[in-house]
């Protein structure tokens, strides 16, 4: 049971975590904190949090669980603001999509690594953002990856794991580096490709007309291009190295497809498409 | 009212057209023809067609509407087989995803352009294929693009238009060239990007593990990579020029994103992502 949960950034992820834990009855009080009073008031009015404050120090007072659910670029600032004010028994975790950068931000913000810090990332979300999009079952049967550090207190790790399990998630652990490579491939790269495609088409002439003939496949393919631009800018900057690595491989593969089309090489195209369909059908049934 | 509809290739599209017209009660008899008796028997057993034959000449006898729903690479062969055997009042149309190549295949197959030929393309489909995936509402409120030629008989154009409207579709007309450019951008390119991404990931080490962490966005993004590889090989070969043109622009745009990430240029990334989100939200609400 969490006595007091403090969430920095009550948007889709932070708000859904609060709703899930309250639905599970495993959290006595949820306090929201961010820089926007209107967002916090909306979260309170929607019944997502019990109360809010704009003061980070006030927010973490008495909290035994602190969740950083702000954009990656805002992590360090929050840590600086609460430095020296966490309760001794507080567990601290985050929901950032790139872990190495958050670990660095937390270390810099606190001036040292808090022993209660457990880096985390729920592999869940929709293309929507903001607290009005939050819902209590967002994490049901979704994976949450925790990337504990050498310094991480095992009690804190257990409490953060339990929190996510109570929210309905399946928790796994891996290293920070491995997380960042896997997510670059399965999440960050697809978002960039979708943003890039829609932008490419939008900048062609007759753009309204082009989108009129977009069918279901295009809608599915580009749904993630409706995601929050600020969040994704931050992800690109935070996971630069791993993203550039998979992007380079992808561009090589795209070059291979392009050359096969140029050469009218149907056999190579068929081989690529069959291999892709086989993998997609096997792993995403 | 169609007296006898002959469909070459009774798969997802051909089968769904038959089901739609039978549901609308505007077609007296549907005859299926293809090279695979087992597929035709399945279509008959599923109640999608009234009867079938493996003989193309037999198939078009008495038919006032003939629909070519075979892969692009098989169009010419069917035309050669039925050359000289169409009824004088027969309308002929197709459902190919690239129109210039079908027009060429029909001209070559018949040795001249049949006056009753109306090139067509229903912008509908799913990542599934085969007659077992067919359903009568596939075309409901979907666009069907007809690209009539200078030679096209206006009566045939009206009958093909009526057929698709009775199947629930919204019919529009445009030139062959324009169709091929628009579809290269909104359909062919996204399919190539999705096939390419899944193949790229599948060839990385630890591939099973990578796909385990794929969330909803990845599933949506790569759904079209489950599409029929043979069909998409044919599309690439048939619409080579227009696809290479949009692919070139896209690769330039991807290069721009890559350079922005390399340079840590958050402003450029934010601008691209905001423009893309704006277009996606405006045109695919």
């Amino acid at each position: 049971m969490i006595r007091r949960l403090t969430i920095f950034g009550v948007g889709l992820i932070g708000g859904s975590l609060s709703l899930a834990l309250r639905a599970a009855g495993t959290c006595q009080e949820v306090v929201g904190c961010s820089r926007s009073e209107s967002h916090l008031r909306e979260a309170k009015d929607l019944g997502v949090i019990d109360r809010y404050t704009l003061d980070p120090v006030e927010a973490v007072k008495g909290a035994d669980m602190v969740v950083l659910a702000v954009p990656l670029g805002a992590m360090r600032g929050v840590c600086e603001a609460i430095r020296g004010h966490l309760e001794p028994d507080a567990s601290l975790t985050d929901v950032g999509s790139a872990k190495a950068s958050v670990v660095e931000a937390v270390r810099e913000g606190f001036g040292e690594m808090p022993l209660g810090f457990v880096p985390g990332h729920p592999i869940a979300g929709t293309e929507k953002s903001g607290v009005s999009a939050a819902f209590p079952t967002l994490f049901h049967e979704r994976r949450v990856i925790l990337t504990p550090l050498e310094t991480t207190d095992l009690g804190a790790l257990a409490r953060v794991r339990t929190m996510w399990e109570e929210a309905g998630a399946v928790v796994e652990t891996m290293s920070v580096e491995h997380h960042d490579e896997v997510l670059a491939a399965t999440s960050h790269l697809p978002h960039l490709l979708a943003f890039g495609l829609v932008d490419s088409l939008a900048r062609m002439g007759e753009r309204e007309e082009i989108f009129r003939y977009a069918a279901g496949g295009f809608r599915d393919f580009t749904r993630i291009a409706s995601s929050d631009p600020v969040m994704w800018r931050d992800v690109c900057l935070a996971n630069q190295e791993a993203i550039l690595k998979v992007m380079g491989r992808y561009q090589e593969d795209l070059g291979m497809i392009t050359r096969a089309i140029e050469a009218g090489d149907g056999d190579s195209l068929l081989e690529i498409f069959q291999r892709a369909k086989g993998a997609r059908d096997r792993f995403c049934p």
Side-chain angles (χ1 to χ4, degrees), chain A residues 52-264:
Chain A
Y52 66 82
T53 167
L54 294 167
D55 177 4
V57 172
E58 170 68 22
V60 298
K61 202 173 284 175
D64 52 343
M65 180 65 73
V66 177
V67 177
L68 308 174
V70 295
L72 291 170
M75 294 281 183
R76 182 176 166 166
V78 174
C79 294
E80 283 170 352
I82 60 178
R83 178 175 179 168
H85 297 280
L86 286 180
E87 300 292 345
D89 71 337
S91 301
L92 175 69
T93 189
D94 76 296
V95 300
S97 310
K99 304 276 31 107
S101 78
V102 176
V103 170
E104 191 56 26
V106 170
R107 192 195 317 270
E108 288 177 5
F110 282 95
E112 61 178 354
M113 189 54 75
L115 303 185
F117 177 52
V118 185
H121 178 207
I123 314 288
T126 72
E127 73 279 13
K128 303 202 176 67
S129 51
V131 70
S132 61
F135 58 98
T137 56
L138 175 61
F139 306 110
H140 271 206
E141 292 174 33
R142 297 308 189 89
R143 287 175 204 276
V144 170
I145 301 176
L146 302 180
T147 62
L149 311 170
E150 284 188 14
T151 52
T152 299
D153 174 71
L154 292 180
L157 176 58
R159 284 187 288 278
V160 171
R161 174 188 281 275
T162 300
M163 174 183 77
W164 283 113
E165 287 172 349
E166 286 169 345
V170 178
V171 178
E172 303 195 18
T173 60
M174 63 175 71
S175 74
V176 164
E177 296 70 28
H178 191 58
H179 169 277
D180 286 359
E181 282 175 16
V182 168
L183 270 289
T186 57
S187 170
H188 308 171
L189 179 60
H191 277 81
L192 291 178
L193 302 184
F195 277 128
L197 178 69
V198 176
D199 185 46
S200 201
L201 266 54
R203 291 191 298 119
M204 287 183 192
E206 310 170 286
R207 56 182 173 166
E208 297 214 24
E209 206 232 342
I210 272 194
F211 287 104
R212 271 176 68 196
Y213 298 105
F218 182 84
R219 282 173 186 267
D220 282 350
F221 184 86
T222 60
R223 181 160 296 121
I224 52 182
S226 279
S227 303
D228 180 18
V230 170
M231 171 185 160
W232 285 98
R233 175 201 59 193
D234 285 2
V235 169
C236 289
L237 300 177
N239 202 22
Q240 189 185 36
E241 196 183 325
I243 291 174
L244 288 174
K245 198 170 136 194
V246 289
M247 177 69 100
R249 293 182 67 150
Y250 181 70
Q251 281 172 310
E252 276 173 32
D253 287 357
L254 220 49
M256 197 169 66
I257 293 176
T258 305
R259 284 191 299 279
I261 296 176
E262 277 166 351

Side-chain angles (χ1 to χ4, degrees), chain A residues 36-65:
Chain A
S36 161
E37 183 160 12
S38 65
H39 287 169
L40 291 168
R41 199 179 307 119
E42 187 185 2
K44 173 96 167 64
D45 291 346
L46 288 169
V48 171
I49 54 176
D50 294 298
R51 60 184 179 85
Y52 66 82
T53 167
L54 294 167
D55 177 4
V57 172
E58 170 68 22
V60 298
K61 202 173 284 175
D64 52 343
M65 180 65 73

